[in-house]
Amino acid sequence: MTDERFQRTELIVGLGIAGNVGLALLKGIVGLMAQSTALLADAAHSTSEAIRSSRKSNKRISISTILLSLVILLLGVEMGFSSVKSLWTGGDQAPEVYALAAVGVALLAKELFFQYTYRLGKRLKDEELIANARGRRSEIYSTLVALIGVTGALLGQYAGLSFLYYLDPLAGLVISILVIRKGYLFVKDAIHTPPNEAWQQEDAADFIAAVQAIKGIITVDDLKAREQGHYVIIDIKISVNPRASVWEGHELSKKVKQLLMKRYQHVSDVLVHVAPYDAGFPYKHNVDTEHSEFPSVVH
């Protein structure tokens, strides 16, 4: 079940990345054809979201992370210059009307994906899916800004109010600022986040200590914690009395999962592997009397 849960989250993230890439292509092509600065800026915003989501969720500083951050910054700066140029030299025409249809399709697609992910997370009580859905809210806001800009410019065309033409490049400028801010925060996060290895050592020690306090568990043979967004998934192997029944091993694994998820709010899932204790390869040097008697009853 836990593997299925992780795979489902990975699928949602993958669909989100693919959706952002598709929407970026749609808005970019239509934006060029319809001469809409707002739509082009929103395409840059979707591209930045796809880049951000495709980054692996870890705290390790890497060249690729910083390069991706700089790409987002450059996208924002480029669209900002383009918007300012349009404001300075433009204002003589509105985008083509089909730009409005492209914005509507993008807005509907984003809202449907948000609602689906959020409700699925609520139904399955999956905090990771809920957090993923909430993190995508900013994508909808940028498209709303583009909608206002394109709609205002088109209204100006039909009403004969040429000053409303400036709403399209103005919306593009606002969205470009959002992209620049996203890139800045991305760079800041990449540079100032401590190394992943140090984080793992600290939390792993706490996790092991908590699990070893459970009666019926003799040793913790292995523990790995991997980050998924703002949450942590733990993969742990415990040893129990070789004479313990399958039911007792199952109950102990349930206790381990419930303890870690209840005590540590950032733990979204725990994968527990139960193995018989091998006295020839002890994990701990100081095994207390209770553990040395190989307790087989789940308390």
Side-chain angles (χ1 to χ4, degrees):
M1 180 64 70
T2 53
D3 286 337
E4 291 180 0
R5 181 178 175 183
F6 179 73
Q7 291 172 1
R8 182 174 57 246
T9 302
E10 289 290 291
L11 177 61
I12 292 295
V13 172
L15 289 174
I17 294 173
N20 276 321
V21 171
L23 288 176
L25 289 173
L26 171 67
K27 289 182 287 189
I29 293 172
V30 175
L32 284 172
M33 295 174 59
Q35 297 182 336
S36 172
T37 307
L39 201 53
L40 287 172
D42 197 32
H45 190 275
S46 292
T47 302
S48 70
E49 281 296 327
I51 292 174
R52 182 190 64 82
S53 300
S54 63
R55 173 196 169 193
K56 291 183 178 180
S57 300
N58 58 53
K59 301 291 186 178
R60 188 179 294 110
I61 300 173
S62 65
I63 297 299
S64 62
T65 298
I66 297 176
L67 287 177
L68 290 176
S69 306
L70 292 176
V71 168
I72 294 176
L73 272 174
L74 288 174
L75 279 173
V77 171
E78 177 63 27
M79 289 312 307
F81 279 131
S82 178
S83 299
V84 171
K85 182 179 178 181
S86 297
L87 285 170
W88 185 260
T89 62
D92 57 345
Q93 65 178 13
E96 299 294 337
V97 68
Y98 53 81
L100 185 61
V103 175
V105 169
L107 188 61
L108 179 62
K110 289 181 178 182
E111 181 63 25
L112 288 176
F113 189 75
F114 166 78
Q115 292 295 338
Y116 170 75
T117 306
Y118 186 79
R119 292 182 181 182
L120 181 64
K122 282 288 189 181
R123 180 167 58 86
L124 300 176
K125 297 181 179 179
D126 191 328
E127 292 297 328
E128 195 163 345
L129 282 179
I130 295 174
N132 183 275
R134 287 172 176 167
R136 295 185 178 278
R137 253 317 186 194
S138 64
E139 302 176 36
I140 297 178
Y141 298 149
S142 69
T143 305
L144 282 173
V145 173
L147 178 64
I148 293 172
V150 173
T151 303
L154 287 173
L155 286 176
Q157 179 179 350
Y158 289 116
L161 302 174
S162 59
F163 67 91
L164 291 179
Y165 294 166
Y166 288 98
L167 285 178
D168 182 74
L170 184 61
L173 180 60
V174 172
I175 297 172
S176 67
I177 293 174
L178 294 177
V179 176
I180 292 173
R181 178 179 179 275
K182 190 184 297 293
Y184 165 75
L185 293 176
F186 201 12
V187 172
K188 182 180 177 181
D189 179 67
I191 294 177
H192 292 91
T193 304
N196 194 41
E197 290 78 10
W199 174 89
Q200 286 187 352
Q201 289 177 3
E202 287 183 23
D203 277 19
D206 292 338
F207 296 150
I208 291 173
V211 172
Q212 286 181 337
I214 299 177
K215 291 185 177 181
I217 295 178
I218 301 176
T219 66
V220 175
D221 298 318
D222 189 29
L223 186 146
K224 296 178 181 178
R226 63 179 184 271
E227 291 179 279
Q228 184 70 23
H230 298 290
Y231 296 92
V232 173
I233 297 176
I234 297 176
D235 198 327
I236 184 171
K237 180 180 179 182
I238 60 174
S239 290
V240 300
N241 183 359
R243 297 189 296 272
S245 66
V246 174
W247 178 83
E248 288 176 328
H250 179 67
E251 289 299 305
L252 283 172
S253 68
K254 285 173 58 179
K255 279 192 173 185
V256 170
K257 180 172 182 176
Q258 291 171 359
L259 171 69
L260 292 177
M261 293 186 68
K262 184 176 181 180
R263 181 174 297 183
Y264 303 97
Q265 297 298 316
H266 61 298
V267 174
S268 63
D269 207 351
V270 181
L271 311 176
V272 185
H273 307 275
V274 182
Y277 175 69
D278 182 2
F281 188 69
Y283 184 85
K284 298 187 294 184
H285 296 292
N286 299 320
V287 180
D288 57 29
T289 305
E290 182 181 28
H291 283 171
S292 64
E293 293 175 354
F294 299 131
S296 62
V297 177
V298 179
H299 300 280

